Every structure is written in structure tokens, then in C-alpha cells.
Amino acid sequence: VLEKAPSFWVLRDNALHYADDRGEIIAPMDARGFAYLPELVIEPGAELAANALPHLVRSLKSSRLPLDLHSLSKVRLSAARGVEIEVEGSDLRLSIGLEDWLANMQRLGLTLTDLSRRGELGDVREIKAQGANVWVERHSPAPSVLAGG
């Protein structure tokens, strides 16, 4: 008998459920055995994208990404946008294209590590790894206020 370990919360029928690293429901959430996990949202048409979830979970657990599973608030699978990750306690969003998934994960990890090393991660709103490219969108600077007379 293998016990499934929860990796996500999934909202089904107006109730939270624990889900494994493939997004499959394990059991309804129980307050007695409460564990903080990111919410998983699988948009219609993105069911095949769930094949990427076990690799994402392994990458987070093995520190190949400078984040861990408990630092995420939401993971959304989209047929059009791939995997979108929201980081807990910030407005940072990570987007990973599904084509060439492993290379995209590697590029995302390198970019996160570099931005963190340079102390610039707090200035970033979104990092998107897709194809052979990585885009970094920074927060727009606050408009300056001119004192007038």
C-alpha cells in the first residue's frame, strides 16, 4: 500500500481537497491534519498540462528552483499560458511554457537565482520562460510628484 502525499489544494464542489503531485484528488481537507499547500487550478483544456506537475514538485523539493512548494500560493495550468505560479506574500508570478518544459524550468531557475543573487527579485512582477527566451517584467516605478507653487 502506497500512501499518497498531498502537494496541492484543489477546490471541488465548493470544498477544498488535498491533491497529489499529479493534481489527482486524495481526500477532502481535514482541519485536524491541516497542511498549508498551494492551490491548484486546472483550466478547461489544460488537463494534459498536469503531466508537468510531478516534475515541478520534484524541482521545488530538490531545490533546482530557489523556491519551495510552501512558498507558493497558487499554481494554475492553462492550455494557452502553460504553468503559472503565484508566490506567497508577494505579487511575483512565474510563467513556464509547456513546450520544451525541462529547458524552460532550467532557464527559469537560472534567472530566479541570478535576480536573487543581485538583490533584484523584489523589483520583479513576472518572469516568463517560454521557448528559448526568458522575459522579466519589473514593477513600474512610482510616478514622481513635483512640488508646485
Side-chain angles (χ1 to χ4, degrees), residues 20-48:
D20 65 12
D21 66 350
R22 296 182 178 284
E24 297 173 1
I25 301 293
I26 297 172
M29 193 175 86
D30 182 359
R32 290 173 289 161
F34 178 80
Y36 176 79
L37 299 166
E39 179 185 2
L40 175 63
V41 176
I42 302 176
E43 293 180 356
E47 293 79 9
L48 288 177

Side-chain angles (χ1 to χ4, degrees), residues 8 16 23-24 50 65 69 74 90 94 106 116 126 133:
F8 302 100
L16 283 175
E24 297 173 1
L65 289 176
L69 198 59
K74 185 180 280 188
S90 75
L94 309 173
Q106 182 179 24
S116 180
E126 182 175 8
N133 300 306

Side-chain angles (χ1 to χ4, degrees), residues 79-145:
R81 295 179 305 279
V83 178
E84 293 181 306
I85 300 169
E86 295 177 15
V87 179
E88 182 69 30
S90 75
D91 60 351
L92 177 61
R93 182 178 43 226
L94 309 173
S95 299
I96 310 163
L98 293 172
E99 75 294 331
D100 203 9
W101 168 257
L102 296 176
N104 285 336
M105 286 285 292
Q106 182 179 24
R107 284 188 281 274
L108 176 67
L110 291 171
T111 302
L112 279 167
T113 300
D114 184 54
L115 288 166
S116 180
R117 180 184 55 79
R118 294 188 294 169
E120 298 176 7
L121 197 54
D123 299 331
V124 175
R125 181 187 341 200
E126 182 175 8
I127 303 172
K128 183 176 185 176
Q130 188 168 12
N133 300 306
V134 174
W135 292 270
V136 176
E137 182 180 333
R138 297 184 183 277
H139 294 284
S140 54
S144 52
V145 177

